[in-house]
Amino acid sequence: MIDDQEFQEAFRVAIELIAQPLFAAAAGKADTQGVVCSLENACDEPGYPSLCLRINPLNPSRHSSYTLRADSAQRTVIHQQAFNDGQEIKTLDASIDSINRTVIETELATFFEKAAHCDLQSADKPEGF
């Protein structure tokens, strides 16, 4: 079993090298479709970073967010999506391995579709497709 220090380091590296670039790319694609986003880094627990992508941060009554944070007691990652200022919350409690391109891109696409009716995949397609 992975110890706390190993989990903390693996989580920090996964956030910095995998999740943050994917969150930033998604925010950039959404921006081209007129969706206002902000990306925030914080520390939820001593030494544990968290990453939060907010949609409509200028309108608190309508903002939605996708947050990645660690549950150090369980040594898991919590993917939490909150819609309409937290009126609806979707939580995925998963292993550290869930911070990968496939999971994050799938979760981001679902999040943007539900929160802002924004199709991130269409931003990748050339005009005419």
Side-chain angles (χ1 to χ4, degrees):
M1 183 169 166
I2 189 171
D3 71 23
D4 190 51
Q5 189 172 10
E6 290 171 325
F7 177 74
Q8 182 179 9
E9 181 62 14
F11 184 77
R12 185 190 62 74
V13 168
I15 289 290
E16 288 178 13
L17 298 181
I18 300 168
Q20 189 164 357
L22 293 171
F23 273 47
K29 288 177 189 176
D31 184 58
T32 66
Q33 297 182 40
V35 178
V36 178
C37 300
S38 69
L39 191 56
E40 302 166 10
N41 291 299
C43 270
D44 282 351
E45 297 182 44
Y48 284 96
S50 67
L51 184 62
C52 182
L53 176 66
R54 295 187 193 281
I55 295 178
N56 294 327
L58 304 176
N59 185 351
S61 66
R62 295 196 58 230
H63 89 270
S64 295
S65 62
Y66 177 8
T67 304
L68 282 175
R69 60 186 172 84
D71 179 342
S72 60
Q74 300 297 316
R75 290 187 177 74
T76 60
V77 175
I78 299 169
H79 298 251
Q80 185 175 63
Q81 297 178 21
F83 304 96
N84 297 318
D85 199 31
Q87 293 179 20
E88 181 184 342
I89 296 175
K90 174 189 166 198
T91 302
L92 171 65
D93 194 3
S95 74
I96 189 81
D97 295 333
S98 68
I99 302 178
N100 67 62
R101 177 175 289 280
T102 302
V103 171
I104 299 291
E105 285 182 343
T106 300
E107 291 295 314
L108 283 166
T110 302
F111 170 70
F112 273 99
E113 178 62 39
K114 182 168 183 148
H117 307 291
C118 176
D119 182 1
L120 292 183
Q121 283 133 1
S122 70
D124 291 331
K125 297 176 185 170
E127 282 190 44
F129 285 88

